[in-house]
Amino acid sequence: MSETPQHGSFVWNELNSPDPAAAKAFYGRLMGWSFTPFPMAEGEYWLIRKGDTEIGGLFPLAGPDFKDMPAHWLTYIAVDDVDARAGEAEAAGGTIARPPFDVPGVGRIAIIRDAEGAYMGWITPKM
């Protein structure tokens, strides 16, 4: 993200996978993507690149919190204030699947489930 995205804009796509090695092999072969490690406190995250452009991420579904979760894609939407908007999501019939948390150098994120059950990430990017 080279400039501050507008509130409500789609900004990131993330593959959540219990087997990152298999995911990297599959998408590397079929899409020509490469993967650059990005260290996290919980383990290694992978930035997905198409040529020199970062186009998404690969999150390892490791640990007991993700025991029965299948691989899936998660979209992130920019919001102006993730903490305030998460509270508004609850008031509108949604739920907070993961409360707001900070990712150093990236921004503040929450995982939200909308009133119909669809999951998405909301992010207030650090610019």
Side-chain angles (χ1 to χ4, degrees), residues 58-109:
L58 171 57
F59 178 82
L61 294 176
D65 291 345
F66 307 109
K67 181 177 178 260
D68 296 319
M69 189 176 292
H72 62 278
W73 283 93
L74 182 66
T75 297
Y76 285 81
I77 302 169
V79 295
D80 51 8
D81 181 337
V82 75
D83 293 273
R85 296 294 178 169
E88 291 175 18
E90 285 187 308
T95 55
I96 299 173
R98 184 167 181 198
F101 60 98
D102 293 310
V103 176
V106 174
R108 191 153 173 81
I109 295 172

CSV table of all heavy atoms in Angstrom, one decimal, residues 58-109:
chain,number,residue,atom,x,y,z
A,58,LEU,N,0.1,-14.8,2.7
A,58,LEU,CA,-0.1,-16.2,3.0
A,58,LEU,C,0.1,-16.4,4.5
A,58,LEU,O,1.2,-16.3,5.0
A,58,LEU,CB,0.8,-17.1,2.2
A,58,LEU,CG,0.8,-18.6,2.5
A,58,LEU,CD1,-0.6,-19.3,2.4
A,58,LEU,CD2,1.8,-19.4,1.6
A,59,PHE,N,-1.0,-16.7,5.2
A,59,PHE,CA,-1.0,-16.9,6.6
A,59,PHE,C,-1.1,-18.3,7.0
A,59,PHE,O,-2.0,-19.0,6.6
A,59,PHE,CB,-2.2,-16.1,7.3
A,59,PHE,CG,-2.3,-16.2,8.8
A,59,PHE,CD1,-1.5,-15.4,9.6
A,59,PHE,CD2,-3.1,-17.2,9.3
A,59,PHE,CE1,-1.6,-15.5,11.0
A,59,PHE,CE2,-3.2,-17.3,10.7
A,59,PHE,CZ,-2.5,-16.5,11.5
A,60,PRO,N,-0.1,-18.8,7.8
A,60,PRO,CA,-0.2,-20.2,8.2
A,60,PRO,C,-1.2,-20.5,9.3
A,60,PRO,O,-1.2,-19.8,10.3
A,60,PRO,CB,1.2,-20.5,8.7
A,60,PRO,CG,1.7,-19.2,9.2
A,60,PRO,CD,1.1,-18.2,8.3
A,61,LEU,N,-2.2,-21.4,9.0
A,61,LEU,CA,-3.2,-21.8,10.0
A,61,LEU,C,-2.5,-22.8,10.9
A,61,LEU,O,-2.7,-24.0,10.8
A,61,LEU,CB,-4.4,-22.3,9.3
A,61,LEU,CG,-5.2,-21.4,8.5
A,61,LEU,CD1,-6.4,-22.1,7.8
A,61,LEU,CD2,-5.7,-20.2,9.3
A,62,ALA,N,-1.7,-22.4,11.9
A,62,ALA,CA,-1.0,-23.3,12.8
A,62,ALA,C,-1.4,-23.0,14.2
A,62,ALA,O,-1.7,-21.8,14.6
A,62,ALA,CB,0.5,-23.0,12.6
A,63,GLY,N,-1.5,-24.0,15.0
A,63,GLY,CA,-1.8,-23.8,16.4
A,63,GLY,C,-3.3,-24.2,16.7
A,63,GLY,O,-4.1,-24.4,15.8
A,64,PRO,N,-3.6,-24.3,18.0
A,64,PRO,CA,-4.9,-24.8,18.4
A,64,PRO,C,-6.1,-23.9,18.0
A,64,PRO,O,-7.2,-24.4,17.8
A,64,PRO,CB,-4.8,-24.9,19.9
A,64,PRO,CG,-3.7,-24.1,20.3
A,64,PRO,CD,-2.7,-24.0,19.1
A,65,ASP,N,-5.9,-22.6,17.8
A,65,ASP,CA,-7.0,-21.7,17.4
A,65,ASP,C,-7.5,-22.1,16.0
A,65,ASP,O,-8.6,-21.7,15.6
A,65,ASP,CB,-6.5,-20.3,17.4
A,65,ASP,CG,-6.3,-19.7,18.8
A,65,ASP,OD1,-6.7,-20.4,19.8
A,65,ASP,OD2,-5.6,-18.7,18.9
A,66,PHE,N,-6.7,-22.7,15.2
A,66,PHE,CA,-7.0,-23.0,13.8
A,66,PHE,C,-7.2,-24.5,13.5
A,66,PHE,O,-7.2,-24.9,12.3
A,66,PHE,CB,-6.0,-22.4,12.9
A,66,PHE,CG,-5.7,-21.0,13.1
A,66,PHE,CD1,-4.5,-20.5,13.7
A,66,PHE,CD2,-6.6,-20.0,12.8
A,66,PHE,CE1,-4.2,-19.2,13.9
A,66,PHE,CE2,-6.4,-18.6,13.0
A,66,PHE,CZ,-5.2,-18.2,13.6
A,67,LYS,N,-7.3,-25.3,14.5
A,67,LYS,CA,-7.3,-26.8,14.4
A,67,LYS,C,-8.2,-27.3,13.3
A,67,LYS,O,-7.7,-28.1,12.5
A,67,LYS,CB,-7.7,-27.4,15.8
A,67,LYS,CG,-7.7,-28.9,15.8
A,67,LYS,CD,-8.1,-29.4,17.1
A,67,LYS,CE,-8.1,-30.9,17.1
A,67,LYS,NZ,-9.4,-31.4,17.0
A,68,ASP,N,-9.4,-26.9,13.2
A,68,ASP,CA,-10.3,-27.5,12.2
A,68,ASP,C,-10.7,-26.5,11.1
A,68,ASP,O,-11.6,-26.7,10.4
A,68,ASP,CB,-11.6,-28.0,12.9
A,68,ASP,CG,-11.3,-29.1,13.9
A,68,ASP,OD1,-10.5,-30.0,13.5
A,68,ASP,OD2,-11.9,-29.2,15.0
A,69,MET,N,-9.9,-25.4,11.0
A,69,MET,CA,-10.3,-24.4,10.0
A,69,MET,C,-9.7,-24.8,8.6
A,69,MET,O,-8.5,-25.1,8.5
A,69,MET,CB,-9.7,-23.1,10.4
A,69,MET,CG,-10.2,-21.9,9.5
A,69,MET,SD,-9.6,-20.3,10.1
A,69,MET,CE,-10.5,-20.2,11.7
A,70,PRO,N,-10.5,-24.8,7.6
A,70,PRO,CA,-10.0,-25.2,6.3
A,70,PRO,C,-9.3,-24.0,5.6
A,70,PRO,O,-9.4,-22.8,6.0
A,70,PRO,CB,-11.3,-25.5,5.5
A,70,PRO,CG,-12.3,-24.7,6.1
A,70,PRO,CD,-11.9,-24.6,7.6
A,71,ALA,N,-8.5,-24.3,4.6
A,71,ALA,CA,-7.8,-23.2,3.8
A,71,ALA,C,-8.9,-22.3,3.2
A,71,ALA,O,-10.0,-22.8,2.8
A,71,ALA,CB,-7.0,-23.8,2.7
A,72,HIS,N,-8.6,-21.0,3.2
A,72,HIS,CA,-9.6,-20.1,2.6
A,72,HIS,C,-8.9,-18.7,2.3
A,72,HIS,O,-7.8,-18.5,2.8
A,72,HIS,CB,-10.8,-19.8,3.6
A,72,HIS,CG,-10.4,-19.2,4.9
A,72,HIS,ND1,-9.8,-20.0,5.9
A,72,HIS,CD2,-10.3,-17.9,5.3
A,72,HIS,CE1,-9.5,-19.2,6.9
A,72,HIS,NE2,-9.8,-17.9,6.6
A,73,TRP,N,-9.5,-18.0,1.5
A,73,TRP,CA,-9.1,-16.6,1.2
A,73,TRP,C,-9.8,-15.6,2.1
A,73,TRP,O,-11.0,-15.8,2.3
A,73,TRP,CB,-9.3,-16.3,-0.3
A,73,TRP,CG,-8.3,-16.9,-1.2
A,73,TRP,CD1,-8.4,-18.1,-1.9
A,73,TRP,CD2,-7.0,-16.4,-1.5
A,73,TRP,NE1,-7.3,-18.4,-2.6
A,73,TRP,CE2,-6.4,-17.3,-2.4
A,73,TRP,CE3,-6.3,-15.2,-1.2
A,73,TRP,CZ2,-5.1,-17.1,-2.9
A,73,TRP,CZ3,-5.0,-15.0,-1.7
A,73,TRP,CH2,-4.5,-16.0,-2.6
A,74,LEU,N,-9.1,-14.6,2.6
A,74,LEU,CA,-9.7,-13.6,3.4
A,74,LEU,C,-9.3,-12.2,2.8
A,74,LEU,O,-8.2,-11.9,2.5
A,74,LEU,CB,-9.1,-13.7,4.8
A,74,LEU,CG,-9.7,-12.7,5.8
A,74,LEU,CD1,-11.2,-12.9,6.1
A,74,LEU,CD2,-8.9,-12.8,7.1
A,75,THR,N,-10.4,-11.4,2.6
A,75,THR,CA,-10.2,-10.1,2.0
A,75,THR,C,-10.1,-9.0,3.2
A,75,THR,O,-10.9,-9.1,4.1
A,75,THR,CB,-11.4,-9.7,1.1
A,75,THR,OG1,-11.3,-10.6,0.0
A,75,THR,CG2,-11.3,-8.3,0.6
A,76,TYR,N,-9.3,-8.0,3.0
A,76,TYR,CA,-9.2,-6.9,4.0
A,76,TYR,C,-9.7,-5.6,3.3
A,76,TYR,O,-9.4,-5.3,2.2
A,76,TYR,CB,-7.7,-6.7,4.4
A,76,TYR,CG,-7.2,-7.8,5.3
A,76,TYR,CD1,-6.8,-9.1,4.8
A,76,TYR,CD2,-7.2,-7.6,6.7
A,76,TYR,CE1,-6.4,-10.1,5.7
A,76,TYR,CE2,-6.8,-8.6,7.6
A,76,TYR,CZ,-6.4,-9.8,7.1
A,76,TYR,OH,-5.9,-10.8,7.9
A,77,ILE,N,-10.4,-4.9,4.2
A,77,ILE,CA,-11.0,-3.6,3.8
A,77,ILE,C,-10.4,-2.5,4.7
A,77,ILE,O,-10.4,-2.7,5.9
A,77,ILE,CB,-12.5,-3.7,3.9
A,77,ILE,CG1,-13.1,-4.8,3.0
A,77,ILE,CG2,-13.2,-2.3,3.5
A,77,ILE,CD1,-14.6,-5.1,3.3
A,78,ALA,N,-10.0,-1.4,4.1
A,78,ALA,CA,-9.5,-0.3,4.9
A,78,ALA,C,-10.7,0.4,5.6
A,78,ALA,O,-11.7,0.6,5.0
A,78,ALA,CB,-8.8,0.7,4.0
A,79,VAL,N,-10.5,0.7,6.9
A,79,VAL,CA,-11.4,1.5,7.7
A,79,VAL,C,-10.7,2.6,8.4
A,79,VAL,O,-9.5,2.5,8.7
A,79,VAL,CB,-12.2,0.6,8.7
A,79,VAL,CG1,-13.1,-0.4,8.0
A,79,VAL,CG2,-11.3,-0.1,9.7
A,80,ASP,N,-11.3,3.7,8.6
A,80,ASP,CA,-10.7,4.9,9.2
A,80,ASP,C,-10.3,4.7,10.7
A,80,ASP,O,-9.4,5.2,11.2
A,80,ASP,CB,-11.5,6.1,9.1
A,80,ASP,CG,-13.0,5.9,9.5
A,80,ASP,OD1,-13.3,4.9,10.1
A,80,ASP,OD2,-13.8,6.8,9.3
A,81,ASP,N,-11.0,3.8,11.4
A,81,ASP,CA,-10.8,3.6,12.9
A,81,ASP,C,-11.3,2.2,13.2
A,81,ASP,O,-12.4,2.0,13.4
A,81,ASP,CB,-11.4,4.6,13.7
A,81,ASP,CG,-11.2,4.5,15.2
A,81,ASP,OD1,-10.8,3.4,15.7
A,81,ASP,OD2,-11.3,5.5,15.9
A,82,VAL,N,-10.4,1.2,13.1
A,82,VAL,CA,-10.8,-0.2,13.3
A,82,VAL,C,-11.5,-0.4,14.6
A,82,VAL,O,-12.4,-1.2,14.7
A,82,VAL,CB,-9.6,-1.2,13.0
A,82,VAL,CG1,-8.6,-1.2,14.2
A,82,VAL,CG2,-10.1,-2.5,12.7
A,83,ASP,N,-11.0,0.2,15.7
A,83,ASP,CA,-11.7,0.0,17.0
A,83,ASP,C,-13.1,0.5,17.0
A,83,ASP,O,-14.0,-0.2,17.4
A,83,ASP,CB,-10.8,0.7,18.1
A,83,ASP,CG,-9.5,0.0,18.3
A,83,ASP,OD1,-9.4,-1.0,19.0
A,83,ASP,OD2,-8.5,0.5,17.6
A,84,ALA,N,-13.3,1.7,16.6
A,84,ALA,CA,-14.7,2.3,16.5
A,84,ALA,C,-15.6,1.5,15.6
A,84,ALA,O,-16.7,1.2,15.9
A,84,ALA,CB,-14.6,3.7,16.1
A,85,ARG,N,-15.0,1.2,14.4
A,85,ARG,CA,-15.9,0.5,13.4
A,85,ARG,C,-16.2,-1.0,13.8
A,85,ARG,O,-17.3,-1.4,13.5
A,85,ARG,CB,-15.1,0.4,12.0
A,85,ARG,CG,-14.9,1.8,11.4
A,85,ARG,CD,-16.2,2.5,11.1
A,85,ARG,NE,-16.0,3.8,10.5
A,85,ARG,CZ,-16.9,4.5,9.9
A,85,ARG,NH1,-18.1,4.1,9.8
A,85,ARG,NH2,-16.6,5.7,9.5
A,86,ALA,N,-15.3,-1.6,14.6
A,86,ALA,CA,-15.7,-3.0,15.1
A,86,ALA,C,-16.9,-2.9,16.0
A,86,ALA,O,-17.8,-3.7,16.0
A,86,ALA,CB,-14.5,-3.6,15.8
A,87,GLY,N,-16.9,-1.9,16.9
A,87,GLY,CA,-18.1,-1.7,17.8
A,87,GLY,C,-19.3,-1.4,17.0
A,87,GLY,O,-20.4,-1.9,17.3
A,88,GLU,N,-19.2,-0.6,15.9
A,88,GLU,CA,-20.4,-0.4,15.0
A,88,GLU,C,-20.8,-1.6,14.3
A,88,GLU,O,-22.0,-1.8,14.1
A,88,GLU,CB,-20.0,0.7,14.0
A,88,GLU,CG,-19.8,2.1,14.7
A,88,GLU,CD,-19.3,3.1,13.7
A,88,GLU,OE1,-19.5,2.9,12.4
A,88,GLU,OE2,-18.8,4.2,14.1
A,89,ALA,N,-19.9,-2.5,14.0
A,89,ALA,CA,-20.3,-3.7,13.3
A,89,ALA,C,-21.1,-4.6,14.2
A,89,ALA,O,-22.1,-5.2,13.8
A,89,ALA,CB,-19.0,-4.5,12.9
A,90,GLU,N,-20.8,-4.6,15.5
A,90,GLU,CA,-21.6,-5.4,16.5
A,90,GLU,C,-23.0,-4.8,16.6
A,90,GLU,O,-24.0,-5.5,16.6
A,90,GLU,CB,-20.9,-5.4,17.9
A,90,GLU,CG,-19.8,-6.4,17.9
A,90,GLU,CD,-19.2,-6.5,19.3
A,90,GLU,OE1,-18.9,-5.5,20.0
A,90,GLU,OE2,-19.1,-7.7,19.7
A,91,ALA,N,-23.1,-3.4,16.6
A,91,ALA,CA,-24.4,-2.8,16.8
A,91,ALA,C,-25.2,-3.0,15.5
A,91,ALA,O,-26.5,-3.0,15.6
A,91,ALA,CB,-24.1,-1.3,17.0
A,92,ALA,N,-24.6,-3.3,14.4
A,92,ALA,CA,-25.3,-3.5,13.1
A,92,ALA,C,-25.6,-5.0,12.9
A,92,ALA,O,-26.1,-5.4,11.8
A,92,ALA,CB,-24.5,-3.0,12.0
A,93,GLY,N,-25.4,-5.9,13.9
A,93,GLY,CA,-25.7,-7.3,13.8
A,93,GLY,C,-24.5,-8.2,13.4
A,93,GLY,O,-24.7,-9.4,13.3
A,94,GLY,N,-23.3,-7.6,13.3
A,94,GLY,CA,-22.2,-8.4,13.1
A,94,GLY,C,-21.5,-8.9,14.4
A,94,GLY,O,-22.0,-8.6,15.4
A,95,THR,N,-20.4,-9.6,14.2
A,95,THR,CA,-19.7,-10.0,15.4
A,95,THR,C,-18.2,-9.8,15.2
A,95,THR,O,-17.7,-9.8,14.0
A,95,THR,CB,-19.9,-11.5,15.8
A,95,THR,OG1,-19.6,-12.3,14.6
A,95,THR,CG2,-21.4,-11.8,16.1
A,96,ILE,N,-17.5,-9.7,16.3
A,96,ILE,CA,-16.0,-9.5,16.2
A,96,ILE,C,-15.5,-10.9,16.4
A,96,ILE,O,-15.5,-11.5,17.5
A,96,ILE,CB,-15.5,-8.6,17.3
A,96,ILE,CG1,-16.1,-7.2,17.1
A,96,ILE,CG2,-14.0,-8.5,17.2
A,96,ILE,CD1,-15.8,-6.2,18.2
A,97,ALA,N,-14.9,-11.5,15.3
A,97,ALA,CA,-14.3,-12.8,15.4
A,97,ALA,C,-12.9,-12.8,16.0
A,97,ALA,O,-12.5,-13.7,16.7
A,97,ALA,CB,-14.2,-13.4,14.0
A,98,ARG,N,-12.2,-11.7,15.8
A,98,ARG,CA,-10.9,-11.4,16.5
A,98,ARG,C,-10.8,-10.0,16.8
A,98,ARG,O,-10.8,-9.1,15.8
A,98,ARG,CB,-9.7,-11.9,15.6
A,98,ARG,CG,-8.4,-11.8,16.3
A,98,ARG,CD,-7.3,-12.5,15.6
A,98,ARG,NE,-6.1,-12.3,16.4
A,98,ARG,CZ,-4.9,-12.5,15.9
A,98,ARG,NH1,-4.7,-12.9,14.7
A,98,ARG,NH2,-3.8,-12.3,16.7
A,99,PRO,N,-10.8,-9.6,18.0
A,99,PRO,CA,-10.7,-8.2,18.4
A,99,PRO,C,-9.5,-7.4,17.8
A,99,PRO,O,-8.5,-8.1,17.4
A,99,PRO,CB,-10.6,-8.2,19.9
A,99,PRO,CG,-11.0,-9.5,20.3
A,99,PRO,CD,-10.7,-10.5,19.2
A,100,PRO,N,-9.6,-6.1,17.7
A,100,PRO,CA,-8.5,-5.4,17.1
A,100,PRO,C,-7.1,-5.7,17.7
A,100,PRO,O,-7.0,-5.8,18.9
A,100,PRO,CB,-8.9,-3.9,17.3
A,100,PRO,CG,-10.4,-4.0,17.4
A,100,PRO,CD,-10.7,-5.3,18.0
A,101,PHE,N,-6.1,-5.8,16.9
A,101,PHE,CA,-4.8,-6.0,17.3
A,101,PHE,C,-3.8,-5.3,16.4
A,101,PHE,O,-4.2,-5.0,15.2
A,101,PHE,CB,-4.4,-7.5,17.3
A,101,PHE,CG,-4.6,-8.2,16.0
A,101,PHE,CD1,-3.5,-8.5,15.2
A,101,PHE,CD2,-5.8,-8.7,15.6
A,101,PHE,CE1,-3.6,-9.1,14.0
A,101,PHE,CE2,-6.0,-9.3,14.3
A,101,PHE,CZ,-4.8,-9.5,13.5
A,102,ASP,N,-2.6,-5.0,16.8
A,102,ASP,CA,-1.6,-4.3,16.0
A,102,ASP,C,-0.7,-5.3,15.4
A,102,ASP,O,-0.2,-6.3,16.0
A,102,ASP,CB,-0.8,-3.4,16.9
A,102,ASP,CG,-1.6,-2.2,17.5
A,102,ASP,OD1,-2.3,-1.6,16.7
A,102,ASP,OD2,-1.6,-2.0,18.7
A,103,VAL,N,-0.3,-5.0,14.1
A,103,VAL,CA,0.7,-5.7,13.4
A,103,VAL,C,1.8,-4.7,13.1
A,103,VAL,O,1.5,-3.7,12.3
A,103,VAL,CB,0.2,-6.3,12.1
A,103,VAL,CG1,1.3,-7.0,11.3
A,103,VAL,CG2,-0.9,-7.3,12.3
A,104,PRO,N,2.9,-4.8,13.8
A,104,PRO,CA,4.0,-3.7,13.6
A,104,PRO,C,4.3,-3.5,12.2
A,104,PRO,O,4.5,-4.4,11.4
A,104,PRO,CB,5.2,-4.3,14.4
A,104,PRO,CG,4.5,-5.2,15.4
A,104,PRO,CD,3.3,-5.8,14.7
A,105,GLY,N,4.3,-2.2,11.8
A,105,GLY,CA,4.7,-1.8,10.5
A,105,GLY,C,3.6,-1.9,9.4
A,105,GLY,O,3.7,-1.5,8.3
A,106,VAL,N,2.5,-2.5,9.8
A,106,VAL,CA,1.4,-2.8,8.9
A,106,VAL,C,0.1,-2.0,9.3
A,106,VAL,O,-0.4,-1.3,8.5
A,106,VAL,CB,1.0,-4.3,8.9
A,106,VAL,CG1,-0.2,-4.6,8.0
A,106,VAL,CG2,2.2,-5.1,8.4
A,107,GLY,N,-0.3,-2.1,10.5
A,107,GLY,CA,-1.5,-1.4,11.0
A,107,GLY,C,-2.3,-2.1,12.0
A,107,GLY,O,-1.8,-3.1,12.6
A,108,ARG,N,-3.5,-1.7,12.3
A,108,ARG,CA,-4.4,-2.3,13.3
A,108,ARG,C,-5.5,-3.0,12.6
A,108,ARG,O,-6.1,-2.5,11.7
A,108,ARG,CB,-4.9,-1.2,14.2
A,108,ARG,CG,-5.6,-1.7,15.4
A,108,ARG,CD,-5.6,-0.7,16.6
A,108,ARG,NE,-6.4,-1.1,17.7
A,108,ARG,CZ,-6.0,-2.0,18.6
A,108,ARG,NH1,-4.7,-2.5,18.5
A,108,ARG,NH2,-6.7,-2.3,19.6
A,109,ILE,N,-5.7,-4.3,13.0
A,109,ILE,CA,-6.6,-5.2,12.3
A,109,ILE,C,-7.6,-5.8,13.2
A,109,ILE,O,-7.3,-6.0,14.4
A,109,ILE,CB,-5.7,-6.3,11.6
A,109,ILE,CG1,-4.8,-5.8,10.6
A,109,ILE,CG2,-6.6,-7.4,11.0
A,109,ILE,CD1,-3.8,-6.8,10.0
